[in-house]
């Protein structure tokens, strides 16, 4: 019984190590949370710079925007086929930019017609007019 009383008295005077471990764990989780938020902010800034300001090796920002639009349109048309009538009175600017871009890359009119929703005649018209309507 004396040993039990001594153990109880000693437990009041000894520091509890579990409280120290809990505090360290809490500090660690807070620091990880802060680092994660910091990385998310940095990643968001990098994504915005890459998507909104393509200023690397570019002749003019207007042609770059058209090429980006053409690329996006090509990706969309490759992922999901969205049939539109072949005979359109007005052709979307994105499609015009895509046709001009693909032509500059050396694609023949037949291939461009397959990649876009335009007919061969519409593609020839776009290329003859230089994209002007």
């Amino acid at each position: 019984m004396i040993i039990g009383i001594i153990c109880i008295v000693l437990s009041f005077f000894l520091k509890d190590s579990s409280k120290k471990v809990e505090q360290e764990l809490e500090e660690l989780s807070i620091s990880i949370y802060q680092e994660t938020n910091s990385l998310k902010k940095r990643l968001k800034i990098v994504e915005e710079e890459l998507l909104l300001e393509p200023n690397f090796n570019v002749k003019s920002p207007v042609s770059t925007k058209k090429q980006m639009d053409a690329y996006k349109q090509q990706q969309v048309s490759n992922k999901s086929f969205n049939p539109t009538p072949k005979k359109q009175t007005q052709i979307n600017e994105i499609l015009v930019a895509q046709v001009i871009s693909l032509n500059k890359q050396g694609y023949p009119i037949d291939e461009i017609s397959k990649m876009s929703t335009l007919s061969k005649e519409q593609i020839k018209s776009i290329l003859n007019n230089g994209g002007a309507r």
Side-chain angles (χ1 to χ4, degrees):
M1 191 176 240
I2 295 173
I3 294 174
I5 293 172
I6 293 173
C7 288
I8 292 173
V9 171
L10 284 177
S11 69
F12 287 119
F13 293 111
L14 295 177
K15 292 185 179 179
D16 191 12
S17 63
S18 65
K19 288 184 182 179
K20 185 177 181 181
V21 171
E22 282 181 16
Q23 185 179 8
E24 288 177 358
L25 182 63
E26 186 176 332
E27 289 174 6
L28 179 66
S29 66
I30 289 172
S31 67
I32 289 175
Y33 178 75
Q34 290 172 341
E35 288 179 22
T36 304
N37 281 342
S38 173
L39 287 174
K40 285 181 181 180
K41 288 177 184 176
R42 289 180 186 172
L43 182 61
K44 184 178 179 181
I45 290 170
V46 169
E47 285 176 346
E48 288 174 356
E49 287 177 358
L50 290 175
L51 292 176
L52 298 178
E53 299 179 19
N55 293 330
F56 46 91
N57 297 331
V58 175
K59 293 180 182 176
S60 68
V62 174
S63 64
T64 302
K65 183 175 181 349
K66 288 183 180 179
Q67 289 174 351
M68 295 269 299
D69 290 342
Y71 177 76
K72 288 178 184 175
Q73 178 66 26
Q74 182 180 5
Q75 293 299 324
V76 169
S77 65
N78 286 344
K79 287 183 181 176
S80 62
F81 180 71
N82 191 4
T84 58
K86 294 275 184 173
K87 300 289 182 180
Q88 290 180 322
T89 56
Q90 286 189 334
I91 299 172
N92 191 346
E93 290 180 19
I94 296 173
L95 288 175
V96 171
Q98 179 186 16
V99 167
I100 293 172
S101 175
L102 291 174
N103 185 44
K104 286 181 182 178
Q105 293 175 12
Y107 285 98
I109 294 175
D110 295 340
E111 289 292 318
I112 296 173
S113 176
K114 290 177 185 176
M115 288 184 211
S116 67
T117 60
L118 302 174
S119 67
K120 293 178 186 178
E121 292 78 24
Q122 289 174 318
I123 293 172
K124 287 179 186 177
S125 170
I126 291 171
L127 295 175
N128 289 337
N129 295 335
R133 293 187 177 190

